[in-house]
């Protein structure tokens, strides 16, 4: 692997020097900083809570009973039936099992972002772009729906434009190698939805001897190192794409502590213990410690309280950018596009500037504000390529309009635009062929 200590040093410098989104908000609203500084709980954060806080790692200082997520009545857990779809994301599977998503696993565009905010505290400026992306790239463009797993059932429009391959069929477009719990595409004959218990075990064991087990961001960064190294050393076709890799694969790791942690008066910043982790991942543990996976049985635990809502508290692209810097400081290769070139341990990185027409390079992503720009601008750049590869005909213009209308409002006008997205680099990586337009 070709990564330098200079890159690591730059990542560490960026972590300590970059302006956090909270500070930008405080400049616009001085009272926000005053309220924060006056909080009685400001200095009461325990070491086990540090990573489940708001944008810029500013600790939550309040807890409210309205953070409790209802898992009773119409939201009671129901196992998926024979016709229900489940996929690679445990959090989405849990939403379907509890009725926050349709139980069949086919999600209307409008429901995707609203449910993830209501249950997990995922900010609309993060949830809306992700659900729009899923709809346009792997869903039913005419019906404005997407599948959390495999293909949707055919309807009247499907024979004409298709219903998309769903998240399970989105390899290199949305789903990526080096997942926190799922296997790599080429290692398991394309099965990216099944949890690999050995990989989960590696995460689980990171808190084996902890006095108070908590799978916070520090722990997930250790697991990020493991999952990346495992893919490099076992998968000759490992590929880490500009969006599915840098954005989605890394977010899949940060989402675990950010969105699954249980909050309380004792732990206002959240704690993700072993039982909560196992519940979300549909894992059961025998008396002898053996772990087993029950496919599709992901569950929101009883008495589970999400992170608080509100612009400062919800998990936003700005929050993710800060967590990304923490990852890059420890696992710098996870901040680069690249892959193995047909043999294991042959990972080669690619100059991101050549891909984005000079708009963004790898080091620029270590600035949180720039990383947020990259997230939005790359979405606007790559989706049209995927759409043009589909048989959309006259619907292409409608799809592109939806993309612009839903995502552009969140984009800072000062962000550098990717006017020339160049994917010719993928020819070097045999694993990139899957999902390529």
């Amino acid at each position: 692997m070709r990564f330098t200590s200079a890159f690591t040093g730059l990542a560490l410098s960026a972590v300590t020097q970059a302006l956090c989104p909270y500070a930008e908000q405080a400049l616009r609203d001085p009272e926000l900083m005053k309220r924060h500084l006056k909080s009685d709980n400001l200095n009461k954060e325990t070491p086990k809570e540090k990573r489940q806080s708001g944008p810029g790692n500013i600790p939550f200082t309040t807890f409210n009973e309205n953070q409790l997520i209802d898992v009773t009545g119409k939201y009671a857990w129901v196992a998926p039936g024979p016709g229900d779809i489940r996929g690679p994301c445990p959090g989405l599977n849990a939403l379907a099992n509890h009725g926050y998503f349709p139980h069949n696993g086919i999600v209307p565009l409008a429901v995707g972002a609203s449910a993830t905010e209501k249950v997990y505290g995922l900010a609309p400026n993060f949830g809306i772009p992700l659900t729009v992306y899923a709809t346009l790239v792997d869903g039913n463009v005419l019906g404005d729906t997407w599948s959390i797993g495999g293909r949707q059932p055919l309807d009247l429009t499907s024979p004409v434009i298709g219903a998309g391959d769903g998240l399970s069929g989105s390899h290199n477009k949305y789903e990526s190698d080096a997942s926190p719990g799922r296997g790599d595409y080429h290692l398991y004959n394309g099965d990216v939805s099944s949890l690999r218990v050995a990989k989960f075990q590696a995460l689980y064991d990171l808190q084996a001897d902890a006095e108070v087990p908590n799978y916070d961001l520090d722990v997930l960064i250790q697991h990020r190192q493991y999952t990346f190294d495992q893919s490099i050393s076992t998968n000759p076709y490992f590929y880490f794409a500009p969006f599915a890799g840098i954005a989605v694969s890394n977010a899949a790791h940060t989402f675990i502590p950010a969105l699954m942690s249980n909050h309380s008066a004792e732990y206002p910043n959240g704690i993700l213990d072993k039982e909560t982790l196992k519940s979300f991942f549909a894992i059961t543990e025998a008396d002898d410690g053996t772990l087993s996976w029950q496919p599709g049985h992901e569950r929101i635990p009883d008495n589970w309280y999400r992170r608080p809502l509100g612009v400062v508290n919800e998990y936003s692209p700005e929050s993710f950018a800060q967590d990304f810097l923490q990852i890059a400081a420890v696992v710098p290769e996870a901040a680069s596009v690249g892959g193995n070139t047909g043999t294991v341990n042959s990972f080669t990185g690619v100059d991101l500037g050549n891909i984005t027409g000079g708009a963004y390079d790898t080091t620029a992503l270590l600035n949180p504000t720039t990383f947020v720009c990259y997230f939005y601008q790359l979405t606007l750049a790559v989706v049209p390529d995927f759409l043009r590869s589909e048989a959309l005909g006259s619907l292409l213009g409608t799809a592109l309009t939806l993309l612009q209308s839903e995502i552009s409002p969140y984009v800072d006008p000062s962000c550098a635009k990717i006017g020339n997205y160049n994917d010719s680099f993928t020819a070097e990586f045999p694993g990139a062929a899957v999902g390529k337009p």
Side-chain angles (χ1 to χ4, degrees), residues 306-392:
R306 57 150 168 74
R307 64 193 294 136
L309 300 183
V311 65
V312 175
N313 299 321
E314 293 177 9
Y315 197 73
S316 65
E318 291 79 9
S319 311
F320 174 48
Q322 294 288 338
D323 289 349
F324 176 79
L325 292 186
Q326 302 287 341
I327 291 174
V330 179
V331 195
E333 56 267 43
S336 67
V337 177
N340 282 342
T341 56
T343 60
V344 297
N345 297 314
S346 60
F347 188 91
T348 303
V350 177
D351 184 349
L352 189 60
N354 292 337
I355 300 172
T356 62
Y360 300 92
D361 59 33
T362 301
T363 55
L365 300 187
L366 302 180
N367 178 292
T369 302
T370 304
F371 182 87
V372 173
C373 286
Y374 170 83
F375 168 74
Y376 288 128
Q377 292 294 342
L378 188 66
T379 303
L380 294 171
V382 301
V383 170
D385 279 353
F386 290 130
L387 290 175
R388 293 187 183 99
S389 70
E390 305 291 339
L392 295 180

Side-chain angles (χ1 to χ4, degrees), residues 40-370:
D40 291 335
N41 294 322
L42 182 62
N43 297 315
K44 295 182 180 180
E45 180 186 8
T46 68
K48 286 295 177 183
E49 299 181 82
K50 290 190 293 184
R51 300 301 187 189
Q52 282 74 258
S53 50
N57 288 326
I58 301 300
F60 303 133
T61 58
T62 61
F63 170 76
N64 193 297
E65 286 292 331
N66 66 13
Q67 293 170 227
L68 177 67
I69 296 302
D70 188 2
V71 291
T72 64
K74 67 177 181 179
Y75 297 122
W77 184 89
V78 178
D84 295 325
I85 297 173
R86 299 295 182 265
C89 178
L92 301 185
N93 291 345
L95 290 177
N97 289 340
H98 283 278
Y100 286 100
F101 276 179
H103 198 262
N104 64 3
I106 307 302
V107 185
L109 188 152
V111 173
S114 61
T116 51
E117 180 184 26
K118 177 179 180 178
V119 177
Y120 295 127
L122 187 68
N125 64 341
F126 209 167
I128 289 175
L130 290 178
T131 197
V132 168
Y133 186 93
T135 302
L136 296 179
V137 172
D138 297 297
N140 183 331
V141 175
L142 188 59
D144 279 351
T145 59
W146 53 281
S147 163
I148 65 175
R151 288 177 177 268
Q152 301 182 40
L154 296 179
D155 60 19
L156 292 177
T157 65
S158 300
V160 180
I161 64 171
D165 294 326
L167 295 189
S168 297
S170 67
H171 188 62
N172 289 339
K173 292 187 290 184
Y174 207 136
E175 178 277 327
S176 174
D177 289 334
S179 158
R182 269 58 186 178
D184 285 7
Y185 181 93
H186 286 280
L187 294 181
Y188 294 96
N189 299 315
D191 178 8
V192 298
S193 292
S194 297
L195 183 75
R196 302 300 158 184
V197 175
K199 183 178 276 191
F200 180 88
Q201 183 84 58
L203 170 60
Y204 193 66
D205 288 348
L206 290 175
Q207 292 291 280
D209 300 322
E211 181 178 350
V212 182
N214 183 16
Y215 296 88
D216 62 10
L217 183 61
D218 288 332
V219 174
L220 264 296
I221 289 174
Q222 295 179 59
H223 192 57
R224 166 80 286 185
Q225 182 76 72
Y226 169 80
T227 57
F228 207 95
D229 290 348
Q230 184 192 51
S231 289
I232 289 176
S233 63
T234 61
N235 181 6
Y237 301 108
F238 169 48
Y239 173 62
F240 210 63
F243 186 84
I246 288 181
V248 179
S249 178
N250 284 317
H253 289 72
T254 68
F255 277 11
I256 292 172
L259 305 184
M260 294 182 180
S261 293
N262 196 4
H263 299 257
S264 64
E266 181 182 6
Y267 295 105
N269 294 309
I271 185 168
L272 182 52
D273 62 21
K274 291 182 176 181
E275 296 307 313
T276 302
L277 183 72
K278 288 186 293 185
S279 181
F280 273 113
F281 277 84
I283 289 287
T284 57
E285 184 171 4
D287 292 339
D288 65 358
T290 301
L291 302 179
S292 60
W293 174 57
Q294 296 178 287
H297 282 225
E298 293 83 358
R299 182 191 296 257
I300 299 171
D302 293 338
N303 299 312
W304 184 80
Y305 294 76
R306 57 150 168 74
R307 64 193 294 136
L309 300 183
V311 65
V312 175
N313 299 321
E314 293 177 9
Y315 197 73
S316 65
E318 291 79 9
S319 311
F320 174 48
Q322 294 288 338
D323 289 349
F324 176 79
L325 292 186
Q326 302 287 341
I327 291 174
V330 179
V331 195
E333 56 267 43
S336 67
V337 177
N340 282 342
T341 56
T343 60
V344 297
N345 297 314
S346 60
F347 188 91
T348 303
V350 177
D351 184 349
L352 189 60
N354 292 337
I355 300 172
T356 62
Y360 300 92
D361 59 33
T362 301
T363 55
L365 300 187
L366 302 180
N367 178 292
T369 302
T370 304

